[in-house]
């Protein structure tokens, strides 16, 4: 058994002085690590999304095309060979 194991066994008890002193810092560190993890996802193009992906692509000169209306064409033929166009 290492000294670290003894230290954790003694000082991890709730309401101990050290536990009460460190708990708020631990919660803030946890939030910070979650924030850093989310930032890491936004930095790389393969895991980025939305506005972040658009910015990342713009760094390399790649821009998204604007949306356009769809054009639909169709042809229908009756049994007697007469057809009509649909637009």
């Amino acid at each position: 058994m290492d000294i670290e194991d003894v230290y954790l066994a003694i000082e991890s008890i709730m309401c101990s002085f050290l536990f009460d002193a460190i708990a708020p810092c631990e919660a803030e560190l946890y939030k910070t690590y979650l924030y850093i993890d989310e930032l890491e996802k936004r930095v790389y193009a393969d895991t980025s999304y939305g506005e972040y992906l658009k910015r990342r692509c713009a760094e390399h000169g790649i821009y998204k095309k604007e949306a356009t209306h769809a054009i639909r064409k169709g042809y229908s033929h009756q049994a007697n060979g007469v057809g009509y166009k649909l637009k």
Side-chain angles (χ1 to χ4, degrees), residues 12-20:
S12 64
I13 300 169
M14 291 184 93
C15 299
S16 70
F17 174 75
L18 196 55
F19 182 86
D20 290 343

Side-chain angles (χ1 to χ4, degrees), residues 14-80:
M14 291 184 93
C15 299
S16 70
F17 174 75
L18 196 55
F19 182 86
D20 290 343
I22 293 176
C25 296
E26 182 181 352
E28 288 300 316
L29 279 173
Y30 179 73
K31 285 190 234 174
T32 303
Y33 280 116
L34 289 177
Y35 182 71
I36 289 170
D37 188 45
E38 184 62 30
L39 282 176
E40 185 179 18
K41 288 177 187 174
R42 294 177 187 176
V43 168
Y44 299 108
D46 61 339
T47 55
S48 189
Y49 55 89
E51 182 66 26
Y52 306 104
L53 181 58
K54 187 177 175 181
R55 288 181 185 178
R56 188 71 179 144
C57 290
E59 289 176 0
H60 298 283
I62 301 170
Y63 298 97
K64 197 160 99 172
K65 291 182 180 179
E66 293 297 320
T68 60
H69 294 285
I71 299 172
R72 181 175 31 176
K73 293 183 180 180
Y75 297 98
S76 177
H77 295 283
Q78 292 180 349
N80 62 3

